[in-house]
Amino acid sequence: MNSLMLSRRGFLIGSVAFSALALGGPGVAVSADGSILRLRAKYDLQILDPAFMIGAIEIDLQYACLASLTVYVPGDELGWRPSAFVESVTQRDDLHIDFVLRQGIKWSGGFGELTAEDVKFSFERIADPKTKSPWNSKWAALDKVEITGPHAGTIVLKEPCVPLWFTTLCDGTGSILCKKAVEAQGGRFTTAFPATCGPYVVQRWLPKQRVELVANPDWTGPKPAFPEVHIYVVEDYKAAELGYEAGDLDMTLVTPDSMTKYSGGNLPAGSKMMGRPGLSWLWMGMNTQHPKLADIRVRQAILWAVDVEQILQAAYGGNSPRAYGPVPPGLIGHKTSTVYEKPDLEKAKALLEEAGVSGLSLELKTLNETTRITIAQIIQAHLSQIGIDVQITPLDSGPFWNLGLEAEGDDWKDLQVWVMEYQDVPDPSLMWCYRSDQVGVWNWERWKDPEFDRLFKQGLGETDPVKRGEIYLRMQDIMEGVCAYVWITHEPVNLIYRDFLDPAILPPDHPYLLDFKHA
């Protein structure tokens, strides 16, 4: 229980520290006058490089500071459009996408114009196995980028890739880097862009506090409505909600239970709400290679013991949909049932007895955030009913996201169970992170299945939506058979923001600052 007491204390300290920083930090002003837009980030900046990013605030900053060929259309309807960096981008046929960049877009640092050579470098770099990018699956269909002129080129695919526009080009993996600047820095970078060419530049990053953006004076495209943007790092949702209510933020994501509170007539003055289905999936994972969990009967016992409906009521007030797999509602291939629909403690105890396991203790790791810890505590109580003792270890985002990455050390060897949430693009191919080649990268459960891998590749090229949906349902059946996942929920995207704002939110929940307007 010591770890839980520390977690609660950390939450309180974080809330106070955030409020003091926001009100008294240098350069902070009332944003209603249009000078500074104040947003919230769930996690601190870790790696800005699109080839090696974690993918939260990093994508927000890539959208603000780097070029891309395409952009999601903000709103509830899924779509894409050419970005402000291009004259045109068109798909000639299944294997060729032609693009023409706008001329005169300058890189910072004296690195010249944005060119087709930068596009070629950026996309081929992620796809190249030698780069060892954890995101190379996004560009698996790429053959090459042909340069047809200083500002023109063609993306050439090895095979058709139906979701490429949404999974790759509109996402952070579609960000365009300055080839000369990256190579001058040794080929990789972490928390500072080697060069930028977007509507904003990073003026300052205060670790674990905020990132400050200012309008790029060399930007020749549409002028952003807000000349300065501060993005505050507030990992706990409840702390962020308190910060918003105190007037320290102009927009933040809120939890489903708070959305109910605000909808009930308690909306802070001068505020609006936005709600839409989310593209995240949250679960408790189990390391199939850990000695305590290698026996599938132990994992099955855990699945029969956890009451997901009780978690949804306690942690979300019943306002977040139950998950039965990684594919969120609204996408083809969404799963709507599971063998483990209702808990069966007697069956769970029998499985442990059959496996010859008693007195089992497990360490459950989670982000140090109120909702996640609530989920962990409920799982702890459920497993205690079948004789499994669970120790909860809350972690900050930095160490947490390194737990299963073999490239970041040996923590993966001791990883047992954890509460995890992924967010990705609006397409069922988001299951790429469970392929065999993702063991030790994003597949922390550490299982491999050749049928799953084959179906994933097949799904990318399938144009019939019915057949494509069947492929992803089968892939999720394979995952259920692994017995390494307690699927919990697809958290909706709920936003509260000031009524002087007209925000542009891209899937799953990224602010696109160039399109933010004054209401």
Side-chain angles (χ1 to χ4, degrees), residues 421-440:
E421 181 184 35
Y422 281 169
Q423 290 189 110
D424 207 350
V425 295
D427 186 84
S429 59
L430 49 78
M431 284 190 281
W432 65 270
C433 52
Y434 301 111
R435 296 187 334 178
S436 297
D437 62 358
Q438 293 301 310
V439 170

Side-chain angles (χ1 to χ4, degrees), residues 4-66:
L4 295 178
M5 292 173 65
L6 286 171
S7 166
R8 176 62 179 165
R9 179 174 176 268
F11 163 64
L12 292 172
I13 291 174
S15 301
V16 173
F18 166 67
S19 181
L21 172 66
L23 291 173
V28 174
V30 178
S31 61
D33 65 2
S35 59
I36 299 177
L37 175 65
R38 301 164 302 173
L39 307 179
R40 174 240 178 174
K42 292 184 288 186
Y43 312 126
D44 198 10
L45 171 59
Q46 295 186 56
I47 301 177
L48 283 170
D49 191 331
F52 301 98
M53 62 183 172
I54 296 298
I57 188 177
E58 291 89 357
I59 294 179
D60 302 344
L61 298 179
Q62 289 160 11
Y63 283 162
C65 302
L66 298 179

Side-chain angles (χ1 to χ4, degrees), residues 330-478:
L331 300 184
I332 59 172
H334 172 62
K335 200 168 184 287
T336 58
S337 63
T338 176
V339 173
Y340 306 96
E341 190 73 33
K342 296 182 179 180
D344 189 329
L345 297 182
E346 294 308 312
K347 187 176 289 188
K349 292 175 183 177
L351 282 163
L352 289 177
E353 184 176 354
E354 182 182 326
V357 173
S358 61
L360 179 64
S361 62
L362 294 172
E363 183 182 19
L364 191 161
K365 294 184 177 180
T366 179
L367 281 169
N368 187 8
E369 190 272 322
T370 305
T371 301
R372 303 292 178 84
I373 291 173
T374 299
I375 292 170
Q377 289 174 318
I378 297 168
I379 292 172
Q380 180 186 56
H382 290 166
L383 295 188
S384 71
Q385 296 178 85
I386 61 171
I388 298 178
D389 179 64
V390 175
Q391 174 193 346
I392 300 171
T393 303
L395 297 169
D396 290 336
S397 59
F400 178 83
W401 284 106
N402 288 334
L403 287 174
L405 302 179
E406 292 183 14
E408 297 298 330
D410 294 331
D411 285 347
W412 62 272
K413 294 180 180 179
D414 298 320
L415 190 58
Q416 298 173 18
V417 293
W418 56 93
V419 175
M420 168 71 86
E421 181 184 35
Y422 281 169
Q423 290 189 110
D424 207 350
V425 295
D427 186 84
S429 59
L430 49 78
M431 284 190 281
W432 65 270
C433 52
Y434 301 111
R435 296 187 334 178
S436 297
D437 62 358
Q438 293 301 310
V439 170
V441 188
W442 301 118
N443 181 355
W444 294 7
E445 290 78 15
R446 304 186 64 82
W447 57 276
K448 298 180 180 181
D449 186 280
E451 182 188 2
F452 185 94
D453 296 344
R454 176 181 59 79
L455 287 170
F456 175 80
K457 186 175 181 180
Q458 182 182 339
L460 293 179
E462 180 55 66
T463 58
D464 185 320
V466 175
K467 292 180 180 178
R468 196 161 183 256
E470 291 171 351
I471 288 170
Y472 294 115
L473 286 170
R474 172 57 189 154
M475 291 171 68
Q476 288 169 97
D477 286 343
I478 293 171

Side-chain angles (χ1 to χ4, degrees), residues 136-423:
N136 65 357
S137 294
K138 300 270 190 166
W139 279 111
L142 181 66
D143 180 20
K144 59 185 175 180
V145 177
E146 291 181 346
I147 298 175
T148 58
H151 300 90
T154 299
I155 298 170
V156 182
L157 304 179
K158 295 179 288 188
E159 54 201 6
C161 184
V162 173
L164 185 73
W165 297 93
F166 298 126
T167 61
T168 309
L169 285 170
C170 290
D171 198 39
T173 47
S175 297
I176 301 168
L177 301 172
C178 177
K179 178 183 178 181
K180 293 178 182 178
V182 174
E183 290 181 340
Q185 197 161 304
R188 288 185 63 166
F189 59 96
T190 54
T191 57
F193 291 118
T196 59
C197 68
Y200 286 94
V201 296
V202 177
Q203 178 175 257
R204 181 166 59 158
W205 170 48
L206 298 172
K208 296 185 178 181
Q209 295 181 35
R210 68 179 181 269
V211 178
E212 298 176 1
L213 300 174
V214 295
N216 180 2
D218 295 326
W219 169 246
T220 57
K223 184 179 179 181
F226 293 88
E228 188 165 351
V229 181
H230 291 181
I231 305 176
Y232 290 90
V233 179
V234 190
E235 295 193 3
D236 192 278
Y237 275 79
K238 296 300 182 183
E241 291 169 19
L242 290 173
Y244 180 88
E245 292 175 359
D248 300 334
L249 288 172
D250 297 318
M251 185 177 77
T252 186
L253 289 165
V254 299
T255 57
D257 60 321
S258 293
M259 201 68 171
T260 301
K261 177 188 74 174
Y262 292 139
S263 299
N266 296 314
L267 193 65
S271 298
K272 291 184 177 180
M273 291 192 304
M274 176 191 300
R276 65 178 62 154
L279 292 170
S280 66
W281 60 103
L282 188 145
W283 75 97
M284 186 191 79
M286 295 177 256
N287 183 352
T288 61
Q289 292 184 1
H290 194 280
K292 292 183 177 183
L293 295 159
D295 191 322
I296 193 171
R297 293 169 295 186
V298 175
R299 303 198 301 272
Q300 288 172 330
I302 291 172
L303 285 165
W304 283 118
V306 176
D307 187 339
V308 174
E309 294 293 342
Q310 190 176 97
I311 292 174
L312 296 177
Q313 287 297 325
Y316 297 97
N319 293 314
S320 192
R322 180 169 180 174
Y324 297 96
V327 180
L331 300 184
I332 59 172
H334 172 62
K335 200 168 184 287
T336 58
S337 63
T338 176
V339 173
Y340 306 96
E341 190 73 33
K342 296 182 179 180
D344 189 329
L345 297 182
E346 294 308 312
K347 187 176 289 188
K349 292 175 183 177
L351 282 163
L352 289 177
E353 184 176 354
E354 182 182 326
V357 173
S358 61
L360 179 64
S361 62
L362 294 172
E363 183 182 19
L364 191 161
K365 294 184 177 180
T366 179
L367 281 169
N368 187 8
E369 190 272 322
T370 305
T371 301
R372 303 292 178 84
I373 291 173
T374 299
I375 292 170
Q377 289 174 318
I378 297 168
I379 292 172
Q380 180 186 56
H382 290 166
L383 295 188
S384 71
Q385 296 178 85
I386 61 171
I388 298 178
D389 179 64
V390 175
Q391 174 193 346
I392 300 171
T393 303
L395 297 169
D396 290 336
S397 59
F400 178 83
W401 284 106
N402 288 334
L403 287 174
L405 302 179
E406 292 183 14
E408 297 298 330
D410 294 331
D411 285 347
W412 62 272
K413 294 180 180 179
D414 298 320
L415 190 58
Q416 298 173 18
V417 293
W418 56 93
V419 175
M420 168 71 86
E421 181 184 35
Y422 281 169
Q423 290 189 110

